[in-house]
Amino acid sequence: MTPFFNMSDSPRKTVLTCAQPTGNLHLGNYFGAVRNWTSYLDDHECFFGIVDQHAITTPYVPAELRQSVYRTLALYISCGLDPSRCHLFLQSQITGHTELAWILGCLCPLGQLERMTQFKEKSQREDVGFVGAGLLFYPVLMAADILLYNADVVPVGEDQKQHLELCRDLAIKFNATYSNTFRVPDVAIPKAGARIRSLQSPDKKMSKSDPNQSGCVYLLDPPEVIRKKIMSAVTDSSREIRASAEKPGITNLLNILSASTGQTVEALEAAHDGLAYGEFKAVVADAVIACLAPIQARFAEIGEDRSYLDNVLKEGSEVAQKRAYRLLSKVYRKAGFIERSR
Ligand code: ATP
Ligand code: LTN
């Protein structure tokens, strides 16, 4: 039986997900992640965190981090994470994430952290240079991010599945060691279809760390840049507009068009049958530009408005902090810590 404990006052289920403040999102991040998060806004209590404490596990520049947090926040709001319908918070502004991570860390087998795929990959990357203990501890902090809010559902990409398994293991272990405290969260991974590929190498996913940046469309790319990138997408030598394994470039463009317009790939294949590839690419470019236009317009309004963005964080953090304190004080009591008098 799954250990279960409902700490929430709210009848709605809680969704929580977090992302590092990269300051830039591409079509893959939007169609594969952020846009799906907006589907929870109506019937869930939603917490969306920007995890700046995770962002310091590899070398970084402090002033750039601050800038990236504001840009990421503004992008999320522009993508539809409406602050009046969800709690947008900044990890470092909430007391509880690192505190809970310490307690969970004391329950976490070292070997499980050393076996994490992301740790192995990142610690071997040459550009990382120095491997700090924070990189190893990262998944424990991530578990704390989730458990601190007793989340029911955590939408993440496939690459985070192993971290979520650890989170569930730690919740179960804490509950068994002390007593039922944490809800064991469910993981929501989008269907494989949500994977957007690089326009230049359609065998690889669209990624901001791809050295060939012309294969990656950013949400804030100006229309002429979007058009140029899509018009030079790699395709194949036939002229059939059909999704299939032998046609990864056209398949990717069909998927992008489908995600941009809401029409099925089958309907799009039928609608564009007989078009030359250049004409089809122009259709895709128009659709992507139209899909991103409202996001870009909203970003132009709020992207530089620090007082608005600070206020969003203030309001989000107030709710998040209240919830975090409630859980943390319960955990402290169970762990045998003496309650502090304020
Ligand atoms: P990096 O290249 O630095 O690893 P990324 O561009 O792949 O970054 P992440 O920050 O790792 O993006 O991912 C943020 C979210 O976007 C995750 O939920 C991830 O699954 C999703 N995502 C990233 N790239 C794609 C893609 N090409 N298609 C669909 N979803 C994606
Ligand atoms: N590790 C995740 C970001 C992340 C996260 C979380 C996601 C940190 N804490 C809590 C969901 C829930 C990533 O790199 N995408």
Side-chain angles (χ1 to χ4, degrees):
M1 203 184 81
T2 306
F4 175 85
F5 189 84
N6 184 2
M7 279 205 34
S8 169
D9 293 337
S10 158
R12 288 182 302 166
K13 289 198 167 185
T14 298
V15 165
L16 174 139
T17 194
C18 303
Q20 294 207 31
T22 55
N24 226 339
L25 295 179
H26 54 67
L27 279 187
N29 301 140
Y30 180 55
F31 293 138
V34 183
R35 193 169 68 168
N36 299 328
W37 303 348
T38 62
S39 66
Y40 291 101
L41 292 175
D42 284 337
D43 49 5
H44 287 72
E45 174 148 35
C46 296
F47 289 86
F48 299 117
I50 297 180
V51 286
D52 50 351
Q53 288 168 324
H54 278 89
I56 67 167
T57 51
T58 46
Y60 75 105
V61 178
E64 286 174 10
L65 176 61
R66 225 181 327 268
Q67 183 72 25
S68 295
V69 165
Y70 283 116
R71 251 177 96 83
T72 304
L73 177 65
L75 265 170
Y76 282 167
I77 299 169
S78 307
C79 287
L81 300 182
D82 175 356
S84 67
R85 295 160 75 206
C86 62
H87 314 298
L88 292 160
F89 68 90
L90 182 60
Q91 185 186 34
S92 62
Q93 292 184 341
I94 308 294
T95 301
H97 291 251
T98 50
E99 286 78 0
L100 180 57
W102 178 254
I103 295 171
L104 296 175
C106 294
L107 290 175
C108 184
L110 180 59
Q112 206 172 348
L113 295 180
E114 287 167 336
R115 284 195 298 277
M116 288 285 155
T117 312
Q118 186 173 296
F119 171 70
K120 287 198 275 188
E121 278 173 11
K122 285 203 175 172
S123 58
Q124 278 157 20
R125 260 182 22 200
E126 288 182 2
D127 56 322
V128 167
F130 150 85
V131 180
L135 199 58
L136 181 72
F137 207 66
Y138 179 113
V140 180
L141 181 58
M142 177 165 164
D145 299 337
I146 297 164
L147 300 180
L148 193 60
Y149 300 92
N150 250 328
D152 295 279
V153 189
V154 185
V156 283
E158 181 74 40
D159 56 323
Q160 297 300 313
K161 208 170 149 188
Q162 198 183 25
H163 290 161
L164 259 294
E165 292 293 327
L166 177 79
C167 172
R168 289 169 55 89
D169 289 350
L170 289 174
I172 291 170
K173 193 155 180 195
F174 186 97
N175 289 350
T177 307
Y178 298 98
S179 67
N180 266 356
T181 304
F182 295 121
R183 190 186 288 281
V184 180
D186 288 330
V187 185
I189 294 179
K191 294 187 196 68
R195 184 133 292 223
I196 303 297
R197 297 174 173 279
S198 159
L199 296 172
Q200 287 301 314
S201 333
D203 52 320
K204 294 194 293 191
K205 70 166 196 165
M206 186 176 282
S207 161
K208 59 188 156 304
S209 39
D210 187 341
N212 189 350
Q213 285 292 293
S214 49
C216 185
V217 174
Y218 289 100
L219 304 191
L220 298 179
D221 276 347
E224 61 280 10
V225 173
I226 299 176
R227 192 174 300 282
K228 193 162 169 225
K229 287 180 177 173
I230 293 178
M231 293 308 289
S232 47
V234 168
T235 50
D236 55 70
S237 54
S238 81
R239 46 170 300 155
E240 228 187 326
I241 296 171
R242 183 172 49 82
S244 76
E246 316 81 70
K247 300 166 71 70
I250 287 294
T251 305
N252 191 35
L253 289 173
L254 276 163
N255 283 334
I256 291 173
L257 186 57
S258 168
S260 304
T261 60
Q263 295 183 56
T264 64
V265 167
E266 295 73 31
L268 293 169
E269 284 171 338
H272 299 96
D273 189 31
L275 276 197
Y277 280 177
E279 291 168 317
F280 177 61
K281 286 177 181 176
V283 171
V284 178
D286 286 342
V288 170
I289 291 166
C291 175
L292 298 187
I295 297 176
Q296 299 189 346
R298 183 77 180 120
F299 188 89
E301 283 167 17
I302 62 168
E304 298 299 326
D305 190 344
R306 287 283 166 100
S307 70
Y308 168 74
L309 296 173
D310 279 328
N311 203 42
V312 168
L313 285 181
K314 184 168 169 280
E315 288 180 359
S317 297
E318 263 167 27
V319 179
Q321 185 65 78
K322 227 170 127 189
R323 183 130 162 178
Y325 271 144
R326 208 153 25 122
L327 198 287
L328 190 67
S329 68
K330 187 165 193 135
V331 168
Y332 270 24
R333 229 180 316 117
K334 297 202 182 194
F337 297 162
I338 295 171
E339 205 168 344
R340 75 177 108 162
S341 48
R342 282 172 201 287

